[in-house]
Amino acid sequence: MEFVLPAYSLAMLLIYYRPQVLVPAMDDALTHGTLWWALWIIIGALGGLLALSGLFLAFSLLYSPFYLIGNARRILDPGLWIDRREVRFYVGCFAIFCGFAALGFLYPAAALPAFAVLAGFAQTLWRFLI
């Protein structure tokens, strides 16, 4: 899924912003009948996976300020043990959250497509942050 979901999210944006790309494929004789239904099933399944990935991404981004504020004393006290990878993950999520907030205020039309692409690349992002 690490390769299929990013490709699907990019293809979804390409088809949304450039629908004329899909017209030659729609005129093909192979897209009618059983193959057409199989294609819709695959598109629906990948759409559900992308939505689930977007929900996990939204939760992580929205939870990061609460985590950082709630554990600020533990993070700043050098005598207490804290998992550095967990803190790095939530600091990265908070930085992405701030970037999306700024993008949403400055250029709202780009915020949703950027979130959709990031939702497609979420597994790679988690691996990079952890």
Side-chain angles (χ1 to χ4, degrees), residues 25-73:
M26 297 291 287
D27 292 336
D28 191 18
L30 293 175
T31 58
H32 300 295
T34 307
L35 184 62
W36 183 249
W37 286 106
L39 184 65
W40 274 110
I41 290 170
I42 292 170
I43 288 171
L46 288 175
L49 288 174
L50 185 65
L52 189 62
S53 178
L55 284 173
F56 284 130
L57 177 66
F59 174 76
S60 297
L61 296 181
L62 292 173
Y63 179 68
S64 63
F66 297 109
Y67 173 84
L68 293 173
I69 291 170
N71 291 320
R73 177 175 285 154

Side-chain angles (χ1 to χ4, degrees), residues 1-114:
M1 291 313 301
E2 287 186 35
F3 301 110
V4 174
L5 207 54
Y8 177 75
S9 67
L10 292 174
M12 182 184 69
L13 284 179
L14 175 72
I15 290 172
Y16 182 75
Y17 285 109
R18 305 266 188 225
Q20 66 270 18
V21 174
L22 193 60
V23 173
M26 297 291 287
D27 292 336
D28 191 18
L30 293 175
T31 58
H32 300 295
T34 307
L35 184 62
W36 183 249
W37 286 106
L39 184 65
W40 274 110
I41 290 170
I42 292 170
I43 288 171
L46 288 175
L49 288 174
L50 185 65
L52 189 62
S53 178
L55 284 173
F56 284 130
L57 177 66
F59 174 76
S60 297
L61 296 181
L62 292 173
Y63 179 68
S64 63
F66 297 109
Y67 173 84
L68 293 173
I69 291 170
N71 291 320
R73 177 175 285 154
R74 290 181 53 212
I75 293 170
L76 297 175
D77 188 9
L80 293 177
W81 181 85
I82 191 160
D83 188 9
R84 298 287 175 208
R85 294 185 324 163
E86 184 179 13
V87 173
R88 185 176 63 217
F89 173 77
Y90 283 111
V91 167
C93 286
F94 183 68
I96 293 170
F97 175 70
C98 290
F100 272 123
L103 185 63
F105 285 120
L106 297 176
Y107 192 58
L112 186 60

